[in-house]
Every structure is written in C-alpha cells, then in structure tokens.
Amino acid sequence: MNPQQANYKQNHSTVQEFILMGYQEYPALLFTVFLATYTVILLGNGLIVVVTMLDPALHTPMYFFLRSLSGLEMCYTSVTLPKMMANLVSRNHSISLPTCATQMFFLIFLGGTECFLLAAMAYDRYLAICLPLHYMTIMSHRVRVGMVAGSFVISLPMQLVQIGIIFSLPFCKSNEIDHFFCDIPPVLSLACADLHSNEMAVYFESTTFVIIPFLLILASYIQITKNILRMPSATGRQKTFSTCSSHLTVVILFYVSAAIVYLCPKTPESVKVNKLLSLLYTIIIPLCNPLIYTLRNREVKTAFRRLLGRKRSLEVAKRING
C-alpha cells in the first residue's frame, strides 16, 4: 500500500459493503425476463453439451470447442444473473467486499478465458479450411484439450493479481455501485486513491485479453476469406462461409462490447451505455450462442433429432418389455 492510500485509510472510514443499484424500475418484469433468459441459457447451452457428447458424429475438434464454449457460458452467466435476480425480489441490494471480489474475479477470469477460447476456435476453422489434409493431424485430441486448458491457465494468474490490487484500495467515496454486478470500472470509480496505475493495469490487461486474441482471430479469418474466394464453386464458398459465420457473429458481439466497456475513456455519459453493454456480453451473447450454433447448424439439428429418436425407441422398448 502506498503512503497516499494509507493516509486515506487513516482519515476516512472504509466501505465494508457495496449496494448494487442496477435498475430499480419494474422489478417484477425484469425478474421474469432475467429468469426466462437464465433458463434458456442453461437449457440451450446444456443441450449443446449433451448432444455433442452423446453423438459420435460430433466428436470432432470443432464440436469439442463448441462444447467447451457452451459449458463456459453457463458458468459465466451464473456468476451474475442469480445475484441480479435476487436483488430484484429483495429490498437488500448489498454485497460484501469479499463477495464482490469473488464475483468480479470469476467474471473477468471466465471472460478472459472466453476471449482466448474464441481465438482457439478461429484457429481451428483456419486449419479445417486452409489446411484440410493436415487438419486432424495438427488438431489432435491432446492439442485441442491443451488449447482449452491453456485458455483457463493464461487467464488465472493475471486476474488474481488484478483483483488483489483493486481490493487493496480504500473505498470511501460511496458504497453505491451504479451497475448490476461488481465489474472493474464501476468499482474503481468508488476508490478514494490515485487510480492512474490501476487504470493502466486495466488497459494492459484488456489489451492482452481483448485486442491480442481479436488480432489472432482477424488474422485467421483473413486467411480463411482468401481461401474461400479462391474456391471455384459458389456452392462450396457459401457452405464454407456458413460454417464460420456463426462463430464470427459471436466474436463481433463479444469483442466490440467488451472493448467499449474496458478500453474506451470513461465519461458520465458512458456509465449508462456500459451498463447496457454489460448485459450484452454477460447475458445476450450466452443466450444467442445456442440459437446461433444450432439453428444455423444442420449437423447439430440432425444429431438432436437422432437423440430424440433414440430416446423414443428406448421408451417404446421399455413399454413392450414392461
């Protein structure tokens, strides 16, 4: 702790808990919307996990990454949505400092992991389209497990350090967080200390976890686009692009919203915008993932029908044997 922070602690009472303000209007309506959204997120992403695990035809690298992404999205959403719904039906909107720190850690840890996982998925598509003859050799089971595990490992130590630095600050300006959950920008705004080094750390980490993976994704899709344009068949070009468009849609929504929240300069007007954008990358994208990847993916829909057909056959066999 530097002398300035120590002086603040001596002359001010430090906040022991925060109040999550969120939106105070229409709590019953918002609770219903959030509950329905959370249910669809868990069911939709859970369905992708189950179908891609049970159907042998989907035991490929692409669906391994999709299964990992769906599992990650369920965890990511569970960090914020249950507390948001509890605040809507309770008069007590408080959250203790340790709970706030825990929520923030898992939010940025899982968010950082998703950034690198989306980059790994883009690299997988690059290999499948640009180097099809070597695809299965390069993207072996060991490699893809290592890429998913690496996405978690890269994110963990930096986020632990970030959380430790933020919650070592004295919070004595106010205890009201103008947000739905404990995110870095609104919590930092309540600290009564020199925040220059903290803001630089946030920019550095955001660059590492947002800009670098995005540039890797961009490089992959530049090569993919070049390869698609060289295809002689229009049908082949359309089919190949359709396998990438779902992933590209998720990437654009996720990275643009995260970049605006964490990298753009903070102004009084940006607070409300950031609140809305935070809903985009914590709720809307996990909600859209199963819709984007299943409604536009013939193989997943076929596998789901096979799974339902297998279930009906088992039920009929049980009735006959019973």
Side-chain angles (χ1 to χ4, degrees), residues 68-109:
S68 302
L69 179 64
S70 294
L72 181 65
E73 294 287 31
M74 289 190 289
C75 298
Y76 186 53
T77 308
S78 298
V79 172
T80 55
L81 257 178
K83 178 62 177 174
M84 289 164 59
M85 290 188 291
N87 287 346
L88 289 169
V89 297
S90 171
R91 293 183 179 180
N92 182 14
H93 296 174
S94 66
I95 182 169
S96 67
L97 258 69
T99 304
C100 183
T102 302
Q103 185 184 64
M104 186 188 293
F105 165 72
F106 281 105
L107 178 74
I108 62 177
F109 167 58

Side-chain angles (χ1 to χ4, degrees), residues 83-201:
K83 178 62 177 174
M84 289 164 59
M85 290 188 291
N87 287 346
L88 289 169
V89 297
S90 171
R91 293 183 179 180
N92 182 14
H93 296 174
S94 66
I95 182 169
S96 67
L97 258 69
T99 304
C100 183
T102 302
Q103 185 184 64
M104 186 188 293
F105 165 72
F106 281 105
L107 178 74
I108 62 177
F109 167 58
L110 296 174
T113 301
E114 182 162 346
C115 288
F116 281 101
L117 184 56
L118 289 172
M121 294 175 73
Y123 179 66
D124 171 73
R125 292 298 81 209
Y126 160 74
L127 291 177
I129 294 170
C130 300
L131 300 171
L133 298 179
H134 304 285
Y135 174 53
M136 292 307 297
T137 303
I138 299 174
M139 194 57 70
S140 63
H141 179 74
R142 182 178 178 181
V143 169
R144 55 184 183 260
V145 169
M147 292 176 73
V148 172
S151 299
F152 284 89
V153 171
I154 291 172
S155 183
L156 181 61
M158 292 186 67
Q159 310 305 356
L160 282 173
V161 172
Q162 178 83 299
I163 294 300
I165 293 173
I166 290 173
F167 283 87
S168 67
L169 295 170
F171 298 98
C172 47
K173 288 183 178 179
S174 169
N175 70 336
E176 293 184 350
I177 299 177
D178 189 14
H179 213 279
F180 297 102
F181 48 84
C182 289
D183 204 357
I184 294 176
V187 170
L188 271 183
S189 68
L190 301 181
C192 44
D194 182 8
L195 299 178
H196 179 72
S197 59
N198 298 88
E199 290 170 349
M200 289 300 99

Side-chain angles (χ1 to χ4, degrees), residues 221-250:
Y221 275 102
I222 288 174
Q223 295 301 318
I224 288 170
T225 303
K226 289 180 180 178
N227 192 277
I228 291 175
L229 293 177
R230 286 198 294 264
M231 292 180 178
S233 169
T235 304
R237 289 195 297 269
Q238 183 178 0
K239 183 179 179 181
T240 304
F241 182 75
S242 67
T243 64
C244 302
S245 58
S246 300
H247 177 255
L248 199 55
T249 302
V250 172

